[in-house]
Amino acid sequence: MIEFYHVSKQYVKNQFALNDINLSIEKGEFIFLTGSSGAGKTTLLKLIFKEQHPTKGQILIDSVNINLIPNKKLYKLRRSIGIVFQDFKLLSKRTIHENVAIPLIIRGERKSTLDKQVHSALSLVGLTHRRNYIPEHVSGGEQQRVAIARAIVGNPKIIIADEPTGNLDTELSIEILKIFERINSNGITMIIATHDKNLIKIFPKRVIRLEKGRLISDWSKEELL
Amino acid sequence: MNLLKNAIINATKNILRNKLINLLCLGIISFTLLIYGIFTYISTNLNIITKEFSKSIEAIFYFKDNVDIQEIEHLLEKIRQNLLVEHVTFNSKKQAEINFSQQFPELKYILSEFNESPFPSSMEIRFKPEYDLDTKINSILDEIEKMNIIDSKQINLEWAKKIMTIKKFITIVGLFLSSILLFVSIFIIYNVIKLNILYRKDEIHILKLVGATNWYIKFPFIIEGALLGLFGSIMAGIILYGLLKLFPSYANFIFNLIKGVITVEVIPASLFIRLIILGTGIGLFSSLFSTQHFLKN
Ligand SMILES: Nc1ncnc2c1ncn2[C@@H]1O[C@H](COP(=O)(O)OP(=O)(O)O)[C@@H](O)[C@H]1O
Ligand SMILES: [Mg+2]
């Protein structure tokens, strides 16, 4: 479970990237985080995996106040979260297999275990046939799927994806979302930032809308009204 | 185990990727250690020689010709009774001649041209090893020298003292040069590691985001520094060995006088080991320092 209590973030004084956010996400939920560009979606995601720190407020993950996690223990939090970055952040000189394997390599996983897990992650996104390519030599949609495979390979509790369909046409976007649904069906919490309104219509999920750093609507709340 | 293997592989890849910079790095480390090694080598050997010389003080007094044997006997007896003296031996003219012909049999014919032994008679005094030249021994030696039956004297410790002075000078120069070079080495390794860290900034960022520990990220860089130091020191050792092999006379020029008396090792294993420990240590220290600085979180 992820909880935000009065969370604000200011990169610059008097400018709120996030303003007094209160939020609760249950384990296994599938959430769209939406809002126009500059609304604060990326910032909110970065707060969850502690790449940024809130100016005010507390964030709890499974009842642990992540503000209080020391730098030395940060890796534990990061290992429990799979992140799909907007710009993929793949290692350009490593093969797709190696890229997907990174979260396991850093844990010192044995090669046999590693190969098995990488293979199943690549199967999930339908990319086993591309495992020996380097990222440059595959399409944007395929790079996106490599990033997803890398996020899932370490068995995280939460997956965060920032504009995962940003550069893709509708057909490919739907395919990616279907992969996310499949991952979600295993009980993994999904938080997906997107400004694509069509997608939100096609996949009826809980939608959290940000505007100028404020949380202006929450699907579950809307339903209550 | 896997993590260590990965770190070593990554470090080696890094070294191979930036060949030029790492070559520079290796060069400066081995140069530093080479200078240190050469000076240490010289000063260690001078030390050995001085020790050999000064195990105990030996003085040889040569008597004037035609000195009354009674007077000599009297003097010997007096010296023998001195508490500082271990023993004293008398070498007659005849004995000196015999010694010479034993030591240099091929020159024996020269002696036949003399009616009488051409060598002066002498006495050799060995003092007890616990005393050195600065104590009462000096005054005893002076007193003997002033006697009118004495022609000249020869003291081993004067040599030792001269060599000791040279040794001190060489040690100071060596330490001075080595420490300057040491700082240069540390500075260069520090910066080479910094460059590598900056070069891999994006990769490091990704590794952190997927949950690598700080040590996982630092380790390859630290290993890299240590490997640079290790290779640098091995290089220095080989060059030092080569120098001493190629120019044996050069290396031994100071020791020529006593060649055969003291065995001077070409390059002692302990010096080689010291170079390796020092080199690896320098590399380790500099890279640790660099990662502490540039990989804070
Ligand atoms: N590193 C940063 N430094 C300063 N301002 C930032 C930084 N990152 C984001 N911002 C600002 O915070 C606000 C929210 O940005 P962001 O979270 O990226 O929004 P979104 O992802 O919804 O487009 C924007 O006004 C943006 O300019
Ligand atoms: Mg964004």
Side-chain angles (χ1 to χ4, degrees):
Chain A
M1 193 157 90
I2 304 169
E3 297 157 280
F4 277 58
Y5 292 105
H6 302 291
V7 173
S8 295
K9 174 67 184 179
Q10 288 166 279
Y11 291 104
V12 198
K13 269 210 166 150
N14 301 321
Q15 279 185 347
F16 283 91
L18 287 176
N19 196 342
D20 197 34
I21 303 292
N22 288 288
L23 185 62
S24 173
I25 298 168
E26 296 295 327
K27 180 174 162 36
E29 270 196 279
F30 192 119
I31 287 181
F32 281 122
L33 187 63
T34 191
S36 51
S37 175
K41 303 182 292 293
T42 300
T43 303
L44 193 149
L45 297 181
K46 282 183 176 172
L47 290 180
I48 295 174
F49 56 85
K50 240 183 154 231
E51 196 186 355
Q52 291 293 345
H53 312 285
T55 317
K56 264 192 197 151
Q58 312 297 329
I59 300 167
L60 271 57
I61 297 179
D62 292 338
S63 309
V64 175
N65 186 338
I66 65 166
N67 286 359
L68 304 180
I69 297 176
N71 252 322
K72 273 186 185 160
K73 295 277 169 67
L74 185 55
Y75 73 94
K76 287 185 179 167
L77 174 72
R78 298 270 171 86
R79 287 180 188 184
S80 71
I81 302 173
I83 311 163
V84 182
F85 299 95
Q86 198 164 0
D87 57 355
F88 312 146
K89 294 203 192 301
L90 300 176
L91 297 176
S92 56
K93 285 179 188 131
R94 308 285 183 90
T95 64
I96 283 167
H97 179 278
E98 286 168 332
N99 265 284
V100 173
I102 287 168
L104 304 175
I105 292 172
I106 58 162
R107 293 173 209 203
E109 210 68 77
R110 252 196 281 119
K111 193 170 181 324
S112 54
T113 324
L114 184 145
D115 284 341
K116 229 191 306 175
Q117 280 179 255
V118 170
H119 183 81
S120 67
L122 282 175
S123 317
L124 183 79
V125 298
L127 272 184
T128 47
H129 61 296
R130 290 273 191 257
R131 65 176 174 278
N132 293 324
Y133 286 54
I134 58 167
E136 272 175 50
H137 294 163
V138 301
S139 71
E142 284 172 323
Q143 288 183 27
Q144 182 66 268
R145 287 188 280 162
V146 175
I148 294 169
R150 186 182 64 190
I152 189 73
V153 79
N155 287 320
K157 292 187 289 188
I158 302 162
I159 284 192
I160 285 172
D162 197 358
E163 310 275 4
T165 60
N167 322 310
L168 308 179
D169 58 42
T170 314
E171 212 171 305
L172 276 174
S173 299
I174 290 171
E175 205 158 303
I176 297 282
L177 261 295
K178 280 185 177 157
I179 294 171
F180 284 147
E181 278 195 314
R182 216 181 308 154
I183 296 169
N184 180 238
S185 69
N186 293 320
I188 296 171
T189 311
M190 306 291 299
I191 305 171
I192 292 148
T194 181
H195 58 256
D196 190 335
K197 295 188 180 88
N198 285 330
L199 274 185
I200 296 172
K201 273 180 203 147
I202 299 168
F203 294 88
K205 307 284 180 191
R206 177 178 170 192
V207 179
I208 293 166
R209 189 179 301 278
L210 296 175
E211 214 51 75
K212 291 182 182 148
R214 288 190 176 274
L215 195 159
I216 58 161
S217 75
D218 191 327
W219 171 82
S220 52
K221 284 176 194 163
E222 274 175 353
E223 211 184 33
L224 285 173
L225 286 173
Chain B
M1 220 33 237
N2 275 328
L3 292 177
L4 183 69
K5 201 178 79 190
N6 280 332
I8 292 170
I9 290 171
N10 281 339
T12 319
K13 271 188 191 159
N14 254 354
I15 290 176
L16 293 177
R17 185 167 50 218
N18 305 320
K19 284 193 194 75
L20 201 70
I21 274 181
N22 285 304
L23 219 59
L24 169 82
C25 212
L26 278 183
I28 185 74
I29 297 170
S30 45
F31 184 65
T32 304
L33 293 170
L34 186 61
I35 294 294
Y36 172 80
I38 288 172
F39 278 94
T40 309
Y41 173 78
I42 294 175
S43 110
T44 318
N45 280 309
L46 289 179
N47 236 356
I48 296 170
I49 293 162
T50 339
K51 278 230 182 77
E52 202 67 29
F53 263 122
S54 53
K55 260 184 196 149
S56 60
I57 302 165
E58 276 175 23
I60 300 172
F61 288 92
Y62 295 99
F63 294 107
K64 286 178 182 160
D65 262 353
N66 309 317
V67 175
D68 184 12
I69 191 76
Q70 295 291 326
E71 259 182 280
I72 293 175
E73 288 287 353
H74 187 68
L75 178 60
L76 287 175
E77 196 48 47
K78 238 177 87 181
I79 291 170
R80 221 166 259 136
Q81 278 161 15
N82 193 305
L83 289 174
L84 304 180
V85 173
E86 191 156 273
H87 67 82
V88 53
T89 49
F90 176 73
N91 258 340
S92 65
K93 287 170 75 76
K94 188 75 199 152
Q95 187 62 44
E97 187 179 18
I98 293 167
N99 286 349
F100 178 84
S101 51
Q102 272 171 359
Q103 267 178 311
F104 307 101
E106 64 273 25
L107 296 177
K108 222 168 155 179
Y109 69 93
I110 298 177
L111 296 176
S112 58
E113 307 204 347
F114 295 92
N115 289 330
E116 203 193 345
S117 160
F119 302 101
S121 57
S122 63
M123 65 174 172
E124 197 179 313
I125 309 173
R126 180 187 284 272
F127 291 93
K128 288 176 179 159
E130 57 266 34
Y131 302 104
D132 68 36
L133 199 56
D134 294 325
T135 60
K136 299 168 205 159
I137 291 180
N138 237 337
S139 59
I140 297 170
L141 292 174
D142 281 348
E143 202 179 307
I144 298 170
E145 197 185 3
K146 276 186 210 127
M147 299 175 117
N148 55 11
I149 56 169
I150 299 297
D151 184 53
S152 61
K153 73 165 180 195
Q154 206 178 307
I155 303 176
N156 64 340
L157 216 66
E158 279 167 358
W159 267 102
K161 289 215 154 169
K162 273 177 198 153
I163 294 172
M164 217 52 196
T165 316
I166 296 169
K167 190 222 132 183
K168 270 183 196 150
F169 176 71
I170 286 176
T171 307
I172 288 167
V173 172
L175 278 181
F176 179 71
L177 281 180
S178 307
S179 37
I180 288 176
L181 287 167
L182 176 75
F183 277 108
V184 174
S185 296
I186 290 175
F187 178 79
I188 287 185
I189 301 174
Y190 176 86
N191 280 294
V192 164
I193 300 296
K194 173 188 166 180
L195 279 180
N196 278 333
I197 290 172
L198 293 182
Y199 182 84
R200 296 183 58 198
K201 209 176 70 203
D202 293 340
E203 191 180 337
I204 290 168
H205 185 62
I206 293 170
L207 289 175
K208 293 213 151 158
L209 287 171
V210 301
T213 59
N214 283 347
W215 273 108
Y216 180 87
I217 289 167
K218 281 179 186 175
F219 210 55
F221 295 108
I222 294 169
I223 297 266
E224 187 185 341
L227 283 180
L228 284 174
L230 178 66
F231 293 148
S233 58
I234 291 174
M235 237 164 85
I238 291 170
I239 294 171
L240 188 61
Y241 181 80
L243 280 180
L244 296 177
K245 269 268 142 128
L246 282 176
F247 309 106
S249 57
Y250 209 77
N252 280 332
F253 77 108
I254 304 170
F255 320 121
N256 266 345
L257 283 171
I258 41 83
K259 230 175 176 177
V261 180
I262 299 155
T263 47
V264 179
E265 274 185 84
V266 178
I267 174 167
S270 72
L271 178 57
F272 195 73
I273 289 166
R274 200 182 328 165
L275 286 182
I276 285 182
I277 291 172
L278 210 66
T280 314
I282 292 170
L284 205 61
F285 171 77
S286 320
S287 54
L288 209 60
F289 194 38
S290 196
T291 52
Q292 282 311 89
H293 232 157
F294 299 106
L295 288 174
K296 272 203 193 103
N297 332 290

